[in-house]
């Protein structure tokens, strides 16, 4: 655990997990899982941490990298909330991730959100060009299309 104290109105907590490289077949299921966990309002972490009014926001992000990298799960807590209670709830919620039985509906929602993001990127020429440069930096522009295809094929078992 690393703790950085600074002035401000919000406590920021971040959990970082090792993820596979972009070209790995397991990368798409990780992206779906991150959405299933943090999506507003159906995400498991969202329900556990935001709906209970322990914190103000939760989101998850995974970088597009050539090599194995990390996914960050970010949790914001207003300064007027109890830091220790929030930290404990965050850690407990994270520890429940591997114990949770995710449903086909969860995976469908996660895939749909990711596919909508892909569709929005395709419909924005500048956004697509920028996205392709990230994939070029990860090894090859064709990884963008591979990711799109793999995203469509993610199953609950994945």
């Amino acid at each position: 655990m690393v703790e950085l104290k600074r002035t401000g109105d919000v406590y920021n907590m971040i959990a970082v997990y090792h993820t596979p490289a972009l070209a790995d077949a397991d990368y798409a299921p990780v992206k779906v899982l991150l959405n299933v966990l943090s999506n507003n309002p159906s995400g498991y972490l969202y329900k556990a941490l935001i709906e209970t009014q322990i914190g103000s926001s939760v989101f998850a992000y995974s970088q597009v990298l050539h090599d194995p990298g990390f996914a960050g799960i970010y949790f914001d807590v207003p300064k007027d909330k109890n830091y220790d209670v929030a930290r404990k709830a965050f850690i407990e919620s994270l520890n429940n991730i591997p114990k949770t039985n995710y449903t086909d509906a969860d995976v469908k929602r996660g895939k749909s959100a990711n596919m909508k993001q892909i569709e929005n990127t395709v419909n924005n020429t500048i956004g697509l060009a920028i996205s392709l440069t990230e994939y070029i930096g990860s090894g090859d522009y064709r990884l963008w299309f591979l990711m799109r295809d793999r995203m469509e094929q993610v199953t609950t078992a994945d």
Side-chain angles (χ1 to χ4, degrees), residues 22-48:
L22 173 66
D24 193 291
D26 287 334
Y27 187 83
V30 168
K31 292 279 287 184
V32 171
L33 177 62
L34 292 175
N35 188 280
V36 167
L37 293 173
S38 65
N39 186 38
N40 173 358
S42 64
Y44 287 86
L45 294 175
Y46 184 88
K47 287 180 180 182

Side-chain angles (χ1 to χ4, degrees), residues 119-133:
E119 181 182 327
N120 289 344
T121 300
V122 168
N123 292 330
N124 176 346
T125 306
I126 294 172
L128 179 59
I130 291 169
S131 184
L132 287 175
T133 62

Side-chain angles (χ1 to χ4, degrees), residues 7 59 63 108 110 119 133 139 148:
T7 60
F59 71 97
Q63 293 185 307
K108 183 177 179 180
E119 181 182 327
T133 62
R148 178 200 59 199

